[in-house]
Amino acid sequence: MEARVGADAIEAAINALRAALGSDAVIADRDQLNEFRDPFYVLGDDSHDVSAAVFPVSVEEVQSVVRIANEHKVPLWTVSQGRNYGYGGAAPRVKGSILVNLSKMNRILEINEELGYAVVEPGVRWFDLVDALEAAGGKWWSSIPDLGWGSVIGNSLEYGRGHTRFGSHGHNIAGMEVVLPNGEVMRTGMGAMTGNKAWHAYPFSYGPTVDGLFMQSSMGIVTRIGWRLMPRPEKYASCWVHFDGDEIIVPVIDAMRELQLDETINNYPFLGRGVSANAEGQPDLDPNSQKWALRFALYGYEEIVEAKWRIVERVLGSIPGVEIGRKVYDGTDRVGPDKGIHDDRVQAGIPGMELLDLYKVPFGPDTGHLDFSPIGPLIGSEVLKMVRQVQKLYDEFGEPYAAGCMLLPTSIIVVSVMFFDPKDKEKTLRMFENFDPMLAKMKSEGYGLYRTGIYKMDAVADTFDFNDHALRRFVETIKDAVDPNGVLQPGKQGIWPQAYRG
Ligand SMILES: Cc1cc2nc3c(=O)[nH]c(=O)nc-3n(C[C@H](O)[C@H](O)[C@H](O)COP(=O)(O)OP(=O)(O)OC[C@H]3O[C@@H](n4cnc5c(N)ncnc54)[C@H](O)[C@@H]3O)c2cc1C
């Protein structure tokens, strides 16, 4: 899809941006813009190229950008760090869009030591936030995803996932500030009241709570959020369960559901095969492996962590064919890059980049990957069915199946990863083609995806088809009302503004 305005309108918008924000704030040089291509797609492909990138440094500058886009009807695509690797990176859906890169709005506006929240701008990375928390005394931990270079806001707006107690990042947002498609600034929740003292401490609005409208969405540009933190525990146990063969998934998952629902385990566990953990618990990548490794964490006072571990031993340790183990750390003993393995660090909220290195093993530095991530209920027999179904599809395509499932208390995201070499155009395109029958099959079995990249957003949106896509039609109605020129992120998650529909 190309921008539905002429090159002259795009040129005029770029000139207006230079005039409003200064020439240094705008990149229009083709070579420099190539940096914003998706590194996990056909190398050299230009079908999602941006026409320029603009780097606002304040809310007022974001407002100017949006107003200029409206004046010239030029589409914008927003990123906070643009490291959305596996889902399109910084690349937009519509070729010729102007990239709004918020990485220079990178202030941590507050760390509230009593209530346990931080207030951050979009450019704040996991590395920055955790450094600031440590510098403030380390009383608070942040949940983090696997890689530390992404932003708190970009990841959380995508319903990104972390691995501590606070790992459901979409849930972790406590109040937002948003620049709307008409350039106006709005604050959600209690923040809608000037001077309200509980903006980042209370989750709802008076009347409808609209924060969800800005997640996986094209309704606004989020310029700050409140972010809930986790109190540093006295003890932290990094635990694992290993087993060989798929059948044992059933009792393990059923036990995990009970342990999560009664909050014996209250982080977000991860179950992998062929990716991220081997039998020794070390990061490993072997898509042909039949060994499953589940990791989870226990946090709290020493007595609580010990008591919980005894329950884990009784419930999980008694399952035939299962091995369990743990490493216990003091909460103050930060499991740094030289200590512990990735699993230990990520569950303690210590950001790193080691998993990206691991993902480069199959095809070297240029390795690309495409994630397929259906959600199912957390019931052992259902999870085994899903895993076998996904395995069958990978077998049909002759590709290895690397599984990395994320457990919630009542559901599971059965993520699988297809690796490819972006230098090999034919093979890369075949991987993306394989996605479609997988999507159709899982939809026919009643499973939908939690997130997807720019290439498959329409296809995934099509699977949410209840009552002739009533949800999509409702969201499109809102989109047309708030963004009549269709300038913000057209096509994001399959929502097209009127000017781009049909
Ligand atoms: C090896 C590997 C491991 C990974 N592990 C994880 C993991 O554990 N958990 C996980 O969730 N992901 C994971 N990812 C995926 C991805 O790297 C992360 O989600 C990353 O944090 C997203 O990057 P970002 O913060 O730069 O997002 P961005 O690219 O900045 O943003 C993502 C999207 O959100 C929207 N957006 C961003 N900012 C705004 C804004 N201010 N206002 C409105 N909309 C906005 C845009 O549509 C944008 O395209 C992994 C990827 C790799 C390669």
Side-chain angles (χ1 to χ4, degrees), residues 386-412:
M386 285 179 84
V387 162
R388 289 209 158 132
Q389 184 56 65
V390 177
Q391 171 82 63
K392 194 160 165 264
L393 290 160
Y394 274 80
D395 289 347
E396 280 167 24
F397 301 129
E399 295 296 336
Y401 169 33
C405 308
M406 298 188 278
L407 278 69
L408 287 74
T410 54
S411 57
I412 184 164

Side-chain angles (χ1 to χ4, degrees), residues 207-263:
T209 298
V210 298
D211 300 55
L213 278 177
F214 302 101
M215 298 191 196
Q216 287 198 1
S217 144
S218 58
M219 303 291 182
I221 297 182
V222 176
T223 49
R224 72 158 79 174
I225 61 166
W227 173 256
R228 293 174 64 215
L229 302 168
M230 168 180 158
R232 176 181 61 210
E234 184 177 274
K235 292 282 176 187
Y236 151 52
S238 174
C239 311
W240 64 88
V241 175
H242 293 150
F243 55 94
D244 214 337
D246 297 347
E247 289 75 15
I248 300 176
I249 285 177
V250 177
V252 167
I253 289 291
D254 287 335
M256 286 299 289
R257 184 185 60 251
E258 299 297 326
L259 291 169
Q260 289 185 86
L261 284 174
D262 69 14
E263 296 192 19

